[in-house]
Structures are given as C-alpha cells and as structure tokens.
Amino acid sequence: MPALIDRARQHSERIAIRSGGKAYTYQTLLQDAAQVAYTLLEGKPDLEEARVAFLVEPGYDYVRLQWGIWLAGGIAVPLCTRHPLPSIRYVIEDTQASTLICSPEFEDLLAPFREAALWFLRLSEMEAGESALPAISPERRAMILYTSGTTGSPKGVVTTHQNLEAQVQSLVSSWAWSREDHILNILPLHHVHGIINILSCALWSGACCEFLPRFEAEAVFERFLEGRINLFMAVPTIYYKLIAHYEKMPPEQRASLSAVLRKFRLMVSGSAALPISVLEQWREISGHTLLERYGMTEMGMAISNPYVGERRPGHIGKPLAGVQVRIADENNQPLQDGQSGEIQVKGPNVFQEYWQKPEATQATFTPDGWLKTGDIALVDQGYYRILGRNSVDIIKSGGYKISALEIEEVLRTHPQIKDCGVVGIPDAEWGEIIAASLILADPEKSLSLDELRLWLKNKLPAYQMPRKYLIQEDLPRNVMGKVTKKALVELFS
Ligand code: MLC
Ligand code: AMP
C-alpha cells in the first residue's frame, strides 16, 4: 500500500476531509477508497498501472477515487472540471485510459465516451470486497498530470509513488505540518499545487483538508471566519482577488477577518511570481509575510522561502530539503552566485518521464540527469530570484501554465484567420493575460470578435481564452521572417 495511504491508519478517528457540509474520518476514507479499489479490480489481483481517468469536482469523492485507484495498482489521471470536451478527450486518448469515472454532473459531457472501448463507471457503482489488495512498490507509477510546453501537444507528466512521497515529505518537514493543521483547498485538483502541497501534505500529516469546490472570495472569508482553518496556500491571483474583496468590506467586518487571519500558522503563495505589492498589502491585512515558494509539475516544489527566518520579498528562497538545485548556462555548466542562468533540479522528487514521449523526456534532462526547468534565475545573497523564462511561448496566467503555440494552433483552424501570434502581457491581477494578433484570410471581410469568442468557447478552457485582440496586416518579424514575440508584446502594451 502506498505510504501516504498506509499512514492514514494512525489517524483513523481524526477528520481527514471536510466537503459538501460533511466531515469524513481517515477510517471512512480508507474504507471508501478500498471499495473503489475492489470495484476497479473486479476480482483481478492488480490493475498493473492501468490508467484510470476521473472527473469529479474537488472534494471527498475526488480523494476516495484517487486513493482507490492507487490501492488497486492503477495510475490516477485527474481530469480538469473546467476543460471543454476536446481537452478532456485528448487526455483520455493520450493516456489510453481503460476506465473513466465521473460524478453525475459530468455524465452528459462524457456521454461520447460511453460507446468507446473503455469502462465507464459511475460514482454510485462502487462495491465492497474482501480479498487482499495488491502490494504497491514505491517505484511504481502513480499519477499523470498534463502540462503544456514549447513544442507539440500537452505532455503527461508521470510521477511514481516514490516521487510523490519525496515531494510531500520535503514540504511536511520544511513547513512544519502537524496533525493539528486544518487547510482550505480552493485550487483545481489536476495540478500539483492543489494535489501535493495542500491535499497530500495534509493527509500525510493526519491533518484536515477542507474543500470549497471553486474559488470565491466571499466563501473563502466565510470559512476563515469559522475559525477552524489555520493554513492557506494559493496562487498570487487569488491573493489579489482576496485583497480586492477585503477592500470592499465594511470596517467592522475587516477588523474581525484580520483578527482571525493573524491566528493562522502559515500562508503560502506560489505557481507564479508574487508581486511585492500583493505581499505588502496582504501583510497589512493579515499580519503574515506570505511564504513564496517555487515549483513545477515535473518536480513538485524545489525552492522555498524559510518557514522560520527571513522571507525575502521578490525572491523564491533556498533549495528545499532533499532537493538539489543549480543555476546553469546554455551548455549546462554550473554558474556562480550572482550569474543568471537556468534553474536545474535533481532529486527523488523529480518526475520519471513524459507519458510515451521518450524524446521529450530526454530533451528535458541534461546528459547528467538534471531537470531543465526553463526558468531563468540568479542567486542573490543566498536567495534565488526569478528573472524570467527562456521561452516567450510559455504564459502563466492565474497560476496556469499556458502554451501560446497551442492557442495559435486552434486560432489558425478558424476559416477567417490566416495567421496569428499569441503572447502573454503583464497584468497585475492575472500575472499575464493572453493577447492574440490576427491576420485575416480575407481582409475585405470583417471578423466579429464576439463570434470568435463564442467559437473558441468549446475549444479552449476559459483561462486560455485571449483577452485582447489586434487585427494586423502582418505580424512583427525579424530579418529572417520569424515572428518577434517581444515586439508583439510591446504592440499590446
Ligand atoms: C478566468 N478569467 C480570466 C482568466 N481566467 N481572465 C483573464 N485571465 C485568466 N487567466 C475570467 C473569466 O473569463 C471570467 O470572466 C472571470 O475571470 C471568472 O472566471 P472563472 O473561471 O470563474 O475564474 P476564477 O474561478 O475566479 O479563476 C481564478 C483562479 C483560477 C485564480 C481561481 O485561475 C485558478 O484556480 N488558478 C489556479 C491554477 C493552479 O492551480 N495552478 C497551479 C499549477 S501547478 P467573466 O467576464 O466571464 O466574468 C504549478 C506548480 C507550482 O504551477 O509551483 O505550484
Ligand atoms: P507548471 O508547469 O504549471 O507546474 O508551472 C511551473 C512554472 O510555474 C515554473 O516553471 C515557473 O515558471 C512558475 N512558477 C512556479 N512558482 C513560481 C514562483 N514562485 N515565482 C515565479 N514563477 C513560478
């Protein structure tokens, strides 16, 4: 049994999950996850790393499915509840999922798969069983999460149970998690921030993870005011939105909220650069200097400001326990402190492979096994500071990593669009927002942007939608004819 699940037996009577107005103990979670496992196994001894894709809102059902898949020896493939059908189809087909599980609200969306040769399971169909569950060794593959890159389609990041345990253990010790902790989880559960840093660290520690199915500032503050929650982790956009909501509240409500926030043990920001202005405003409101940390789907967390000690604004901190980090030049040679280069990472936390993409896997590691993150940084008086990325085609918006090239590909399939260029432009709330420059197939015919938005709606998730458009005769190009994205960013700015 994976160590994360085995440990739950030490906390059986404690509350593991609060969701949908109910509280579930570790004991209940273990029993319900075993039911999922028996149902999936159908009497077989082991799922042998079959991919099980599942689509449920963040909450208790998500956790029991994830644990059930692991107990049965499967690979968990969480699907994004906000994705349109083409993105969901891509993941199901790319992983060659053998089973698809969903809650009732997603049955219509997933109806096209009912005919496919995969097993379509409803949440209500879980059965009890008694036979022994398979032994799962730590090297076995546990999870596939999808991430966008600078080439090709999204890639499935495969992590083993060992990788996940290393990612969790490093955070649990660095941030002093304990069974007394109670965290609110408002992040999507198809990315490491919500899955590892919040959910799995809580369950590893015997703590309680409380869910809201989606982020809403008012609902978050209501939960805070109940007084149980003592830990919070989110992307900078969420802190920005919380600050905006706080500023609209009447003074007496602000005072009681600030008083509650001051009692929190820890508040963390990550997944994108935390603007110093947000850090300072949140400090005014809550009394906390947000702990900023740095991570990536392929490795979990690698660098963090200290739990005890100076949290330096504008910096991501120092390497976490058990994680090796270096700054390297274009030839993968390590650089001195103060010199800027790529962040490269090694350690048991680093993922195993991109699902069935050996060339992409090889390209993301140096010949001596360092993960090339693509993030450019330098070490400044012992603290890492991010300077940018080595590709303009990667955009971070609301904490989501987005490939400009994938959006361009979709736009080019529109009959009225001959060519296009997509860029991220700086934005205080979202980090970056997506902007698209369009070259029309027939300049005589106009293109309605409202119609374009409607057309895109079934093709791209909301967070990948361009927010600004420019119609041009041609894109800015260099002497070689290559589109210069930096010039495009300036046009929008
Ligand atoms: C949504 N909207 C956007 C947008 N996303 N506008 C600009 N840019 C974006 N990226 C608009 C919608 O169109 C809508 O507009 C309005 O905002 C509300 O939409 P929503 O979908 O309801 O948004 P909301 O739920 O408020 O989403 C905001 C958010 C979300 C911050 C909660 O983006 C989020 O959950 N981000 C976290 C992603 C995450 O977990 N990343 C971690 C990756 S792991 P209108 O006009 O219709 O109202 C990783 C490693 C690491 O990075 O280090 O952690
Ligand atoms: P993802 O691929 O979605 O896991 O996103 C990983 C990327 O998020 C990293 O490669 C960084 O570019 C970015 N990131 C994560 N944390 C931070 C941070 N604290 N500051 C700046 N960028 C960050």
Side-chain angles (χ1 to χ4, degrees), residues 147-148 191-192 269-274 292-298 316 373 375 386 389 396 399-401:
T147 190
S148 292
H191 282 305
V192 291
S269 171
S271 303
L274 174 65
E292 181 170 11
R293 92 304 177 280
Y294 159 86
M296 188 177 179
T297 308
E298 286 86 337
I316 52 173
T373 61
D375 292 307
I386 301 238
R389 281 184 295 268
K396 264 267 161 171
Y400 282 111
K401 189 183 205 176

PDB file of all heavy atoms in Angstrom, residues 147-148 191-192 269-274 292-298 316 373 375 386 389 396 399-401, ligand 2:
ATOM      1  N   THR A 147       0.756  18.915 -18.792  1.00  0.00           N
ATOM      2  CA  THR A 147       1.388  20.223 -18.765  1.00  0.00           C
ATOM      3  C   THR A 147       1.700  20.652 -20.193  1.00  0.00           C
ATOM      4  O   THR A 147       1.942  19.811 -21.060  1.00  0.00           O
ATOM      5  CB  THR A 147       2.668  20.185 -17.901  1.00  0.00           C
ATOM      6  OG1 THR A 147       3.138  21.503 -17.710  1.00  0.00           O
ATOM      7  CG2 THR A 147       3.776  19.356 -18.536  1.00  0.00           C
ATOM      8  N   SER A 148       1.676  21.960 -20.421  1.00  0.00           N
ATOM      9  CA  SER A 148       1.959  22.468 -21.761  1.00  0.00           C
ATOM     10  C   SER A 148       3.417  22.853 -21.871  1.00  0.00           C
ATOM     11  O   SER A 148       4.019  23.323 -20.908  1.00  0.00           O
ATOM     12  CB  SER A 148       1.110  23.702 -22.035  1.00  0.00           C
ATOM     13  OG  SER A 148      -0.233  23.306 -22.131  1.00  0.00           O
ATOM     14  N   HIS A 191      -3.536  19.695 -10.781  1.00  0.00           N
ATOM     15  CA  HIS A 191      -2.195  20.287 -10.732  1.00  0.00           C
ATOM     16  C   HIS A 191      -1.573  20.052  -9.365  1.00  0.00           C
ATOM     17  O   HIS A 191      -2.293  19.906  -8.367  1.00  0.00           O
ATOM     18  CB  HIS A 191      -2.269  21.791 -10.995  1.00  0.00           C
ATOM     19  CG  HIS A 191      -2.427  22.119 -12.450  1.00  0.00           C
ATOM     20  ND1 HIS A 191      -1.557  21.652 -13.407  1.00  0.00           N
ATOM     21  CD2 HIS A 191      -3.350  22.853 -13.112  1.00  0.00           C
ATOM     22  CE1 HIS A 191      -1.934  22.084 -14.592  1.00  0.00           C
ATOM     23  NE2 HIS A 191      -3.032  22.804 -14.446  1.00  0.00           N
ATOM     24  N   VAL A 192      -0.227  20.098  -9.333  1.00  0.00           N
ATOM     25  CA  VAL A 192       0.466  19.751  -8.084  1.00  0.00           C
ATOM     26  C   VAL A 192       0.140  20.680  -6.919  1.00  0.00           C
ATOM     27  O   VAL A 192       0.144  20.246  -5.770  1.00  0.00           O
ATOM     28  CB  VAL A 192       2.010  19.667  -8.257  1.00  0.00           C
ATOM     29  CG1 VAL A 192       2.407  18.494  -9.107  1.00  0.00           C
ATOM     30  CG2 VAL A 192       2.590  20.959  -8.808  1.00  0.00           C
ATOM     31  N   SER A 269       2.331  31.400  -0.944  1.00  0.00           N
ATOM     32  CA  SER A 269       1.985  31.771  -2.325  1.00  0.00           C
ATOM     33  C   SER A 269       2.948  31.085  -3.281  1.00  0.00           C
ATOM     34  O   SER A 269       4.137  30.957  -2.985  1.00  0.00           O
ATOM     35  CB  SER A 269       2.083  33.289  -2.509  1.00  0.00           C
ATOM     36  OG  SER A 269       1.943  33.617  -3.881  1.00  0.00           O
ATOM     37  N   GLY A 270       2.430  30.682  -4.439  1.00  0.00           N
ATOM     38  CA  GLY A 270       3.302  30.061  -5.436  1.00  0.00           C
ATOM     39  C   GLY A 270       2.568  29.780  -6.722  1.00  0.00           C
ATOM     40  O   GLY A 270       1.399  30.116  -6.865  1.00  0.00           O
ATOM     41  N   SER A 271       3.276  29.165  -7.640  1.00  0.00           N
ATOM     42  CA  SER A 271       2.835  28.812  -9.003  1.00  0.00           C
ATOM     43  C   SER A 271       3.068  29.948  -9.988  1.00  0.00           C
ATOM     44  O   SER A 271       2.967  29.751 -11.188  1.00  0.00           O
ATOM     45  CB  SER A 271       1.360  28.398  -9.098  1.00  0.00           C
ATOM     46  OG  SER A 271       1.090  27.322  -8.256  1.00  0.00           O
ATOM     47  N   ALA A 272       3.324  31.138  -9.483  1.00  0.00           N
ATOM     48  CA  ALA A 272       3.642  32.291 -10.330  1.00  0.00           C
ATOM     49  C   ALA A 272       4.293  33.332  -9.426  1.00  0.00           C
ATOM     50  O   ALA A 272       4.183  33.237  -8.192  1.00  0.00           O
ATOM     51  CB  ALA A 272       2.371  32.861 -10.963  1.00  0.00           C
ATOM     52  N   ALA A 273       4.943  34.321 -10.061  1.00  0.00           N
ATOM     53  CA  ALA A 273       5.660  35.326  -9.264  1.00  0.00           C
ATOM     54  C   ALA A 273       4.688  36.126  -8.400  1.00  0.00           C
ATOM     55  O   ALA A 273       3.653  36.595  -8.886  1.00  0.00           O
ATOM     56  CB  ALA A 273       6.418  36.253 -10.203  1.00  0.00           C
ATOM     57  N   LEU A 274       5.042  36.301  -7.141  1.00  0.00           N
ATOM     58  CA  LEU A 274       4.199  37.073  -6.216  1.00  0.00           C
ATOM     59  C   LEU A 274       4.634  38.536  -6.283  1.00  0.00           C
ATOM     60  O   LEU A 274       5.746  38.879  -5.863  1.00  0.00           O
ATOM     61  CB  LEU A 274       4.377  36.528  -4.789  1.00  0.00           C
ATOM     62  CG  LEU A 274       3.676  37.299  -3.673  1.00  0.00           C
ATOM     63  CD1 LEU A 274       2.163  37.240  -3.828  1.00  0.00           C
ATOM     64  CD2 LEU A 274       4.088  36.764  -2.300  1.00  0.00           C
ATOM     65  N   GLU A 292       6.753  32.664  -0.064  1.00  0.00           N
ATOM     66  CA  GLU A 292       6.740  32.361  -1.500  1.00  0.00           C
ATOM     67  C   GLU A 292       7.672  31.193  -1.786  1.00  0.00           C
ATOM     68  O   GLU A 292       8.787  31.134  -1.282  1.00  0.00           O
ATOM     69  CB  GLU A 292       7.177  33.568  -2.333  1.00  0.00           C
ATOM     70  CG  GLU A 292       7.122  33.232  -3.821  1.00  0.00           C
ATOM     71  CD  GLU A 292       7.305  34.419  -4.753  1.00  0.00           C
ATOM     72  OE1 GLU A 292       7.684  35.504  -4.298  1.00  0.00           O
ATOM     73  OE2 GLU A 292       7.067  34.228  -5.970  1.00  0.00           O
ATOM     74  N   ARG A 293       7.146  30.260  -2.590  1.00  0.00           N
ATOM     75  CA  ARG A 293       7.947  29.092  -2.977  1.00  0.00           C
ATOM     76  C   ARG A 293       7.815  28.864  -4.475  1.00  0.00           C
ATOM     77  O   ARG A 293       6.943  29.458  -5.129  1.00  0.00           O
ATOM     78  CB  ARG A 293       7.543  27.872  -2.132  1.00  0.00           C
ATOM     79  CG  ARG A 293       6.458  26.999  -2.720  1.00  0.00           C
ATOM     80  CD  ARG A 293       5.194  27.693  -3.039  1.00  0.00           C
ATOM     81  NE  ARG A 293       4.141  26.964  -3.664  1.00  0.00           N
ATOM     82  CZ  ARG A 293       4.014  26.655  -4.953  1.00  0.00           C
ATOM     83  NH1 ARG A 293       4.918  26.941  -5.812  1.00  0.00           N
ATOM     84  NH2 ARG A 293       2.956  26.023  -5.401  1.00  0.00           N
ATOM     85  N   TYR A 294       8.680  27.990  -4.999  1.00  0.00           N
ATOM     86  CA  TYR A 294       8.749  27.780  -6.450  1.00  0.00           C
ATOM     87  C   TYR A 294       8.682  26.299  -6.776  1.00  0.00           C
ATOM     88  O   TYR A 294       9.326  25.479  -6.098  1.00  0.00           O
ATOM     89  CB  TYR A 294      10.065  28.380  -6.945  1.00  0.00           C
ATOM     90  CG  TYR A 294      10.555  27.856  -8.270  1.00  0.00           C
ATOM     91  CD1 TYR A 294      10.129  28.416  -9.475  1.00  0.00           C
ATOM     92  CD2 TYR A 294      11.459  26.796  -8.322  1.00  0.00           C
ATOM     93  CE1 TYR A 294      10.596  27.934 -10.689  1.00  0.00           C
ATOM     94  CE2 TYR A 294      11.931  26.311  -9.532  1.00  0.00           C
ATOM     95  CZ  TYR A 294      11.500  26.878 -10.709  1.00  0.00           C
ATOM     96  OH  TYR A 294      11.948  26.407 -11.903  1.00  0.00           O
ATOM     97  N   GLY A 295       7.870  25.953  -7.772  1.00  0.00           N
ATOM     98  CA  GLY A 295       7.775  24.539  -8.142  1.00  0.00           C
ATOM     99  C   GLY A 295       7.382  24.371  -9.587  1.00  0.00           C
ATOM    100  O   GLY A 295       7.301  25.329 -10.354  1.00  0.00           O
ATOM    101  N   MET A 296       7.106  23.114  -9.940  1.00  0.00           N
ATOM    102  CA  MET A 296       6.783  22.773 -11.319  1.00  0.00           C
ATOM    103  C   MET A 296       6.165  21.380 -11.317  1.00  0.00           C
ATOM    104  O   MET A 296       6.549  20.529 -10.496  1.00  0.00           O
ATOM    105  CB  MET A 296       8.091  22.779 -12.117  1.00  0.00           C
ATOM    106  CG  MET A 296       7.966  22.646 -13.589  1.00  0.00           C
ATOM    107  SD  MET A 296       9.650  22.777 -14.299  1.00  0.00           S
ATOM    108  CE  MET A 296       9.277  22.579 -16.013  1.00  0.00           C
ATOM    109  N   THR A 297       5.234  21.141 -12.237  1.00  0.00           N
ATOM    110  CA  THR A 297       4.561  19.840 -12.289  1.00  0.00           C
ATOM    111  C   THR A 297       5.578  18.698 -12.320  1.00  0.00           C
ATOM    112  O   THR A 297       5.363  17.653 -11.697  1.00  0.00           O
ATOM    113  CB  THR A 297       3.670  19.775 -13.555  1.00  0.00           C
ATOM    114  OG1 THR A 297       2.830  20.928 -13.553  1.00  0.00           O
ATOM    115  CG2 THR A 297       2.821  18.529 -13.583  1.00  0.00           C
ATOM    116  N   GLU A 298       6.678  18.895 -13.030  1.00  0.00           N
ATOM    117  CA  GLU A 298       7.668  17.824 -13.205  1.00  0.00           C
ATOM    118  C   GLU A 298       8.473  17.518 -11.944  1.00  0.00           C
ATOM    119  O   GLU A 298       9.251  16.562 -11.928  1.00  0.00           O
ATOM    120  CB  GLU A 298       8.637  18.198 -14.339  1.00  0.00           C
ATOM    121  CG  GLU A 298       8.054  18.089 -15.742  1.00  0.00           C
ATOM    122  CD  GLU A 298       7.314  19.341 -16.202  1.00  0.00           C
ATOM    123  OE1 GLU A 298       6.869  20.112 -15.334  1.00  0.00           O
ATOM    124  OE2 GLU A 298       7.167  19.527 -17.419  1.00  0.00           O
ATOM    125  N   ILE A 316      12.384  33.653  -4.327  1.00  0.00           N
ATOM    126  CA  ILE A 316      11.683  32.387  -4.092  1.00  0.00           C
ATOM    127  C   ILE A 316      12.339  31.551  -2.992  1.00  0.00           C
ATOM    128  O   ILE A 316      11.827  30.500  -2.635  1.00  0.00           O
ATOM    129  CB  ILE A 316      11.555  31.563  -5.399  1.00  0.00           C
ATOM    130  CG1 ILE A 316      12.917  31.410  -6.080  1.00  0.00           C
ATOM    131  CG2 ILE A 316      10.522  32.212  -6.338  1.00  0.00           C
ATOM    132  CD1 ILE A 316      12.906  30.473  -7.280  1.00  0.00           C
ATOM    133  N   THR A 373      14.432  23.359 -16.101  1.00  0.00           N
ATOM    134  CA  THR A 373      13.104  23.930 -15.820  1.00  0.00           C
ATOM    135  C   THR A 373      12.670  24.969 -16.849  1.00  0.00           C
ATOM    136  O   THR A 373      11.481  25.262 -16.963  1.00  0.00           O
ATOM    137  CB  THR A 373      13.091  24.623 -14.444  1.00  0.00           C
ATOM    138  OG1 THR A 373      14.053  25.692 -14.494  1.00  0.00           O
ATOM    139  CG2 THR A 373      13.422  23.667 -13.318  1.00  0.00           C
ATOM    140  N   ASP A 375      13.267  28.029 -16.435  1.00  0.00           N
ATOM    141  CA  ASP A 375      13.158  29.288 -15.687  1.00  0.00           C
ATOM    142  C   ASP A 375      14.552  29.874 -15.481  1.00  0.00           C
ATOM    143  O   ASP A 375      15.490  29.165 -15.131  1.00  0.00           O
ATOM    144  CB  ASP A 375      12.499  29.037 -14.315  1.00  0.00           C
ATOM    145  CG  ASP A 375      11.041  28.655 -14.477  1.00  0.00           C
ATOM    146  OD1 ASP A 375      10.306  29.397 -15.142  1.00  0.00           O
ATOM    147  OD2 ASP A 375      10.645  27.581 -13.961  1.00  0.00           O
ATOM    148  N   ILE A 386      13.860  34.820  -9.433  1.00  0.00           N
ATOM    149  CA  ILE A 386      13.489  34.500 -10.816  1.00  0.00           C
ATOM    150  C   ILE A 386      13.576  35.766 -11.674  1.00  0.00           C
ATOM    151  O   ILE A 386      13.088  36.825 -11.267  1.00  0.00           O
ATOM    152  CB  ILE A 386      12.050  33.942 -10.888  1.00  0.00           C
ATOM    153  CG1 ILE A 386      11.932  32.676 -10.032  1.00  0.00           C
ATOM    154  CG2 ILE A 386      11.599  33.726 -12.326  1.00  0.00           C
ATOM    155  CD1 ILE A 386      11.494  31.442 -10.737  1.00  0.00           C
ATOM    156  N   ARG A 389      11.710  33.548 -18.135  1.00  0.00           N
ATOM    157  CA  ARG A 389      11.699  32.190 -18.684  1.00  0.00           C
ATOM    158  C   ARG A 389      12.509  32.183 -19.976  1.00  0.00           C
ATOM    159  O   ARG A 389      12.640  33.221 -20.623  1.00  0.00           O
ATOM    160  CB  ARG A 389      10.257  31.770 -19.002  1.00  0.00           C
ATOM    161  CG  ARG A 389       9.469  31.331 -17.815  1.00  0.00           C
ATOM    162  CD  ARG A 389       8.092  30.855 -18.235  1.00  0.00           C
ATOM    163  NE  ARG A 389       7.299  31.931 -18.784  1.00  0.00           N
ATOM    164  CZ  ARG A 389       6.470  32.700 -18.082  1.00  0.00           C
ATOM    165  NH1 ARG A 389       6.330  32.480 -16.803  1.00  0.00           N
ATOM    166  NH2 ARG A 389       5.788  33.656 -18.661  1.00  0.00           N
ATOM    167  N   LYS A 396       2.084  32.370 -18.045  1.00  0.00           N
ATOM    168  CA  LYS A 396       1.490  31.979 -16.757  1.00  0.00           C
ATOM    169  C   LYS A 396       0.367  32.956 -16.467  1.00  0.00           C
ATOM    170  O   LYS A 396       0.600  34.157 -16.265  1.00  0.00           O
ATOM    171  CB  LYS A 396       2.536  32.043 -15.650  1.00  0.00           C
ATOM    172  CG  LYS A 396       3.187  30.708 -15.374  1.00  0.00           C
ATOM    173  CD  LYS A 396       2.493  29.941 -14.259  1.00  0.00           C
ATOM    174  CE  LYS A 396       2.806  28.470 -14.276  1.00  0.00           C
ATOM    175  NZ  LYS A 396       2.320  27.759 -13.108  1.00  0.00           N
ATOM    176  N   GLY A 399      -1.885  31.488 -12.509  1.00  0.00           N
ATOM    177  CA  GLY A 399      -1.172  30.316 -11.971  1.00  0.00           C
ATOM    178  C   GLY A 399      -1.179  29.129 -12.922  1.00  0.00           C
ATOM    179  O   GLY A 399      -0.533  28.125 -12.669  1.00  0.00           O
ATOM    180  N   TYR A 400      -1.920  29.229 -14.013  1.00  0.00           N
ATOM    181  CA  TYR A 400      -1.927  28.153 -15.017  1.00  0.00           C
ATOM    182  C   TYR A 400      -0.800  28.366 -16.005  1.00  0.00           C
ATOM    183  O   TYR A 400      -0.588  29.505 -16.464  1.00  0.00           O
ATOM    184  CB  TYR A 400      -3.241  28.163 -15.804  1.00  0.00           C
ATOM    185  CG  TYR A 400      -4.424  27.567 -15.090  1.00  0.00           C
ATOM    186  CD1 TYR A 400      -5.480  28.371 -14.667  1.00  0.00           C
ATOM    187  CD2 TYR A 400      -4.508  26.199 -14.870  1.00  0.00           C
ATOM    188  CE1 TYR A 400      -6.595  27.826 -14.039  1.00  0.00           C
ATOM    189  CE2 TYR A 400      -5.621  25.645 -14.244  1.00  0.00           C
ATOM    190  CZ  TYR A 400      -6.650  26.463 -13.832  1.00  0.00           C
ATOM    191  OH  TYR A 400      -7.744  25.920 -13.220  1.00  0.00           O
ATOM    192  N   LYS A 401      -0.144  27.273 -16.376  1.00  0.00           N
ATOM    193  CA  LYS A 401       0.875  27.352 -17.433  1.00  0.00           C
ATOM    194  C   LYS A 401       0.176  27.127 -18.769  1.00  0.00           C
ATOM    195  O   LYS A 401      -0.561  26.158 -18.935  1.00  0.00           O
ATOM    196  CB  LYS A 401       1.914  26.261 -17.198  1.00  0.00           C
ATOM    197  CG  LYS A 401       3.123  26.349 -18.080  1.00  0.00           C
ATOM    198  CD  LYS A 401       4.016  25.159 -17.790  1.00  0.00           C
ATOM    199  CE  LYS A 401       5.438  25.414 -18.129  1.00  0.00           C
ATOM    200  NZ  LYS A 401       6.272  24.263 -17.749  1.00  0.00           N
TER     201      LYS A 401
HETATM  202  P1  AMP B   2       3.516  24.234 -14.019  1.00  0.00           P
HETATM  203  O1  AMP B   2       4.185  23.702 -15.235  1.00  0.00           O
HETATM  204  O2  AMP B   2       2.098  24.574 -14.199  1.00  0.00           O
HETATM  205  O3  AMP B   2       3.789  23.313 -12.914  1.00  0.00           O
HETATM  206  O4  AMP B   2       4.223  25.599 -13.711  1.00  0.00           O
HETATM  207  C1  AMP B   2       5.549  25.640 -13.319  1.00  0.00           C
HETATM  208  C2  AMP B   2       6.084  27.010 -13.561  1.00  0.00           C
HETATM  209  O5  AMP B   2       5.454  27.963 -12.703  1.00  0.00           O
HETATM  210  C3  AMP B   2       7.537  27.151 -13.235  1.00  0.00           C
HETATM  211  O6  AMP B   2       8.351  26.624 -14.260  1.00  0.00           O
HETATM  212  C4  AMP B   2       7.659  28.654 -13.078  1.00  0.00           C
HETATM  213  O7  AMP B   2       7.772  29.273 -14.331  1.00  0.00           O
HETATM  214  C5  AMP B   2       6.331  29.046 -12.470  1.00  0.00           C
HETATM  215  N1  AMP B   2       6.432  29.290 -11.022  1.00  0.00           N
HETATM  216  C6  AMP B   2       6.109  28.479 -10.005  1.00  0.00           C
HETATM  217  N2  AMP B   2       6.311  29.090  -8.819  1.00  0.00           N
HETATM  218  C7  AMP B   2       6.784  30.329  -9.102  1.00  0.00           C
HETATM  219  C8  AMP B   2       7.187  31.458  -8.329  1.00  0.00           C
HETATM  220  N3  AMP B   2       7.113  31.461  -7.001  1.00  0.00           N
HETATM  221  N4  AMP B   2       7.641  32.547  -8.987  1.00  0.00           N
HETATM  222  C9  AMP B   2       7.699  32.587 -10.328  1.00  0.00           C
HETATM  223  N5  AMP B   2       7.324  31.563 -11.120  1.00  0.00           N
HETATM  224  C10 AMP B   2       6.868  30.451 -10.518  1.00  0.00           C
END
